[in-house]
Amino acid sequence: MTVELQSVSISKSQKTLLNSIDLMIKPDELTLLIGPNGAGKSTLLKACCGDLWIDTGNVLFNKQNIESLSADQLAKSRAVMTQSYEMGFGFTVAEIVAMGCFIYEDILCQQKQKDIIQEVMHYLDIEHLAKRNFLTLSGGEQQRTQLARVLAQLWSPYEQDEPRYLFLDEPTSSLDIFHQYHVLSLAKQLTQRNIGVLAVVHDLSLAASFADQLILLSKGQIVTKGRPESVLQRQYMSQVYGIDAFYFHESSNVKPSILLET
């Protein structure tokens, strides 16, 4: 069971955003999308989760065409965190995380839902913020709160044979270095719960450290995809980013990184 894109193309105002994309997202992998600004990363993520109308091709969600699935069916199978999540009201952190439990209202008691809220807040190190007004938080704290909300949607191991998926658009953009690594480490752990994770990131060293599959995009097309060591090669870094850089992994005890030559 996978999320599969078959020859997907998307255009807007006569501009091609995605051009004949073929891609498979597996439930036991962390797949990261990389590429320069305007490459089509966010567009590709939205196409995968059914939030964007495609012009040609197909998106199959666990072997079903995503266009045939209802909003309720999708909500039980995937959660999405976008770049923009403005709040117009002063909800507390706990109240926002609780919004992710809406799919459990008919199948789990209130206490179990409260347990889920506590578990995901602990998972993302925001328990101490539970009663804080969301609007008073720092950008990084707001981002972790929103991530906890979408995790709550997938948290309970309710009976469901099909795998579930988590889609994250730049989940580390407002975080300090510790929480960047923390969030991607947690995303990696989620793949052990039969959850496939697709995320957009810009930091190439983070991508090298955590990705099971890397997708390098440029101008709406996949330049290359595969393991980090095969994607983050000098030829692709030069072609896409215009830099002389390459994948470096000296020891199994040290995370991989990207070396930039001058």
Side-chain angles (χ1 to χ4, degrees):
M1 298 294 192
T2 60
V3 174
E4 186 175 358
L5 276 67
Q6 301 175 334
S7 300
V8 169
S9 295
I10 298 175
S11 298
K12 184 177 181 181
S13 300
Q14 299 183 330
K15 179 183 179 181
T16 299
L17 303 180
L18 295 179
N19 185 12
S20 193
I21 299 291
D22 292 304
L23 179 62
M24 184 176 292
I25 310 300
K26 299 179 181 179
D28 57 351
E29 289 186 349
L30 171 57
T31 299
L32 297 181
L33 297 173
I34 59 172
N37 292 336
K41 300 183 297 297
S42 294
T43 301
L44 178 53
L45 184 138
K46 290 176 182 177
C48 286
C49 62
D51 284 350
L52 199 61
W53 184 265
I54 65 174
D55 296 320
T56 61
N58 296 294
V59 178
L60 302 182
F61 203 98
N62 292 335
K63 295 186 177 181
Q64 292 182 276
N65 193 307
I66 200 167
E67 294 177 0
S68 70
L69 300 175
S70 67
D72 184 62
Q73 288 174 308
L74 284 173
K76 292 179 179 178
S77 297
R78 64 98 174 98
V80 184
M81 178 178 164
T82 61
Q83 290 184 43
S84 178
Y85 41 79
E86 293 183 5
M87 285 284 175
F89 300 95
F91 293 107
T92 67
V93 167
E95 287 172 335
I96 288 177
V97 177
M99 294 175 187
C101 292
F102 71 96
I103 63 169
Y104 304 129
E105 290 181 354
D106 296 330
I107 56 177
L108 294 179
C109 66
Q110 288 293 320
Q111 184 56 52
K112 181 57 179 176
Q113 292 181 46
K114 289 181 181 179
D115 291 343
I116 291 172
I117 294 165
Q118 289 298 318
E119 288 172 15
V120 294
M121 287 196 299
H122 175 73
Y123 201 61
L124 284 163
D125 190 30
I126 57 170
E127 285 178 299
H128 62 292
L129 302 174
K131 296 182 179 180
R132 284 276 303 276
N133 183 325
F134 178 82
L135 300 177
T136 68
L137 303 180
S138 69
E141 290 169 338
Q142 289 186 350
Q143 196 162 25
R144 282 186 286 146
T145 298
Q146 292 293 351
L147 182 54
R149 174 183 58 79
V150 297
L151 283 186
Q153 187 178 334
L154 300 178
W155 197 254
S156 179
Y158 53 88
E159 292 190 12
Q160 180 170 316
D161 294 331
E162 293 83 7
R164 292 167 288 167
Y165 299 90
L166 178 62
F167 298 96
L168 306 171
D169 198 348
E170 298 192 34
T172 61
S173 61
S174 297
L175 303 181
D176 57 39
I177 292 176
F178 171 81
H179 286 107
Q180 288 178 25
Y181 276 82
H182 182 59
V183 164
L184 285 184
S185 178
L186 296 181
K188 187 92 165 181
Q189 292 176 30
L190 289 173
T191 63
Q192 300 173 14
R193 299 170 64 111
N194 202 27
I195 295 174
V197 182
L198 176 66
V200 173
V201 298
H202 280 286
D203 189 307
L204 298 181
S205 289
L206 280 177
S209 297
F210 291 100
D212 295 306
Q213 177 182 211
L214 265 186
I215 312 297
L216 177 58
L217 287 173
S218 180
K219 299 177 181 178
Q221 294 183 304
I222 294 178
V223 176
T224 186
K225 58 186 175 183
R227 301 287 301 175
E229 58 268 28
S230 66
V231 172
L232 298 170
Q233 290 299 313
R234 197 187 301 263
Q235 66 191 84
Y236 300 124
M237 297 297 95
S238 177
Q239 175 186 343
V240 174
Y241 291 101
I243 59 175
D244 190 3
F246 59 93
Y247 176 93
F248 179 76
H249 194 193
E250 183 177 28
S251 167
S252 59
N253 296 322
V254 178
K255 289 286 189 185
S257 61
I258 298 297
L259 295 186
L260 178 64
E261 294 190 346
T262 59

